[in-house]
């Protein structure tokens, strides 16, 4: 059984507004529905564990019924940090049947079903896989307000989601870690236990919608189709 944990319990402080952005409509549907549909349509994902805020169950039920969400098997309330939200979602997966666990940000609606499948397949083969995108800017390491070095961008990638793991590998990484703000993705937790993670080259279009500026870019992507 392959499970996707979709984390959508962020407070949205950087986005602002009254309604959490995951329930706002864009491209004709709530943002979260766009994301869920990509996983609903991926044959390699058997079930979804959805992590939302404790005050969002009613809003979620409303949109899930309207848009006929089928694969969400469990709903969990999130924690203070993203890592805590993932940990809580992970906790409801049945260890007896678990194979691959793919973690995805609810705020990334532009992932494709093919990218999800490729990441799950790579994790099946190698134990752990991260969807990544190229870095086009020249990146500097800065120390004490000065440039310490230029990092060769050919060796750099942006870590996207999904990030997929054999159940036991992610379990060991989560148990070994402190679930602080510093743990911004699961790969860093798995790196910390010494496991080498494979990459899957993905599209830079798979943005995380965090700020109103990201929302404006997302609207353009939806208009262009
Ligand atoms: O905060 P960040 O931008 O890293 O959030 C990435 C994803 O994690 C978002 O989809 C957000 O809703 C989710 N998140 C969560 N619980 C938190 C913080 C973030 O589920 N406490």
């Amino acid at each position: 059984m392959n499970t996707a944990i979709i984390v959508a319990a962020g407070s949205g402080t950087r986005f602002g507004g009254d309604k959490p952005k995951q329930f706002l409509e864009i491209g004709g549907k709530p943002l979260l529905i766009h994301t869920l549909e990509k996983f609903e349509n991926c044959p390699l994902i058997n079930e979804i564990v959805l992590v939302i805020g404790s005050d969002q169950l009613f809003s979620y039920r409303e949109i899930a019924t309207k848009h006929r969400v089928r694969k969400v098997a469990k709903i969990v309330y999130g924690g203070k940090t993203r890592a805590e939200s993932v940990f809580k979602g992970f906790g409801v997966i049945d260890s007896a049947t678990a194979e691959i666990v793919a973690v995805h940000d609810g705020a990334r609606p532009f992932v494709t079903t093919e990218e999800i499948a490729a990441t799950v397949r790579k994790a099946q083969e190698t134990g752990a896989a991260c969807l990544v995108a190229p870095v086009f800017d020249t990146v500097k390491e800065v120390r004490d307000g000065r440039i310490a070095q230029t990092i060769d961008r050919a060796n750099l990638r942006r870590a996207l989601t999904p990030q997929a793991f054999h159940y036991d590998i992610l379990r060991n990484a989560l148990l070994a870690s402190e679930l602080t703000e510093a743990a911004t993705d699961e790969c860093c937790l798995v790196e910390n236990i010494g496991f080498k993670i494979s990459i899957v080259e993905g599209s830079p279009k798979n943005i995380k919608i965090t700020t109103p500026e990201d929302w404006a870019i997302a609207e353009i992507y939806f208009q262009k189709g």
Side-chain angles (χ1 to χ4, degrees), residues 8 22-23 30 32-33 36 40 48-53 55-75 77:
Q22 48 273 40
F23 297 102
L32 182 58
I33 293 294
L36 286 170
E40 295 260 329
I48 298 169
V49 171
L50 179 65
V51 186
I52 54 174
D55 55 347
Q56 294 169 354
L57 188 59
F58 184 77
S59 306
Y60 170 70
R61 292 260 188 241
E62 213 170 32
I63 63 168
T65 307
K66 184 170 172 202
H67 295 278
R68 294 168 205 254
V69 175
R70 295 166 295 113
K71 281 191 190 171
V72 173
K74 287 165 192 157
I75 297 170
Y77 295 145

Side-chain angles (χ1 to χ4, degrees), residues 117-133:
T119 311
V120 169
R121 257 188 249 110
K122 189 61 111 179
Q124 286 171 328
E125 284 160 31
T126 67
C130 182
L131 188 67
V132 299

Side-chain angles (χ1 to χ4, degrees), residues 5 9 24 34 47 60-61 72-73 78 85 108 154 185 199 213:
I5 301 174
L24 294 179
H34 285 288
E47 62 164 19
Y60 170 70
R61 292 260 188 241
V72 173
S85 292
R108 289 186 191 272
D185 75 349
I199 59 159
E213 290 73 27

Side-chain angles (χ1 to χ4, degrees), residues 6-12 14 21-22 32 51-53 56 78-86 104-108 161 181 183-185 208-210:
I6 298 186
V7 282
S11 58
R14 288 163 295 181
K21 64 174 182 245
Q22 48 273 40
L32 182 58
V51 186
I52 54 174
Q56 294 169 354
K80 283 195 291 296
T81 62
R82 182 187 177 285
E84 247 181 68
S85 292
V86 171
H104 185 72
D105 294 325
R108 289 186 191 272
T161 70
E181 297 281 355
T184 50
D185 75 349
K208 182 168 56 136
I209 301 177
T210 307

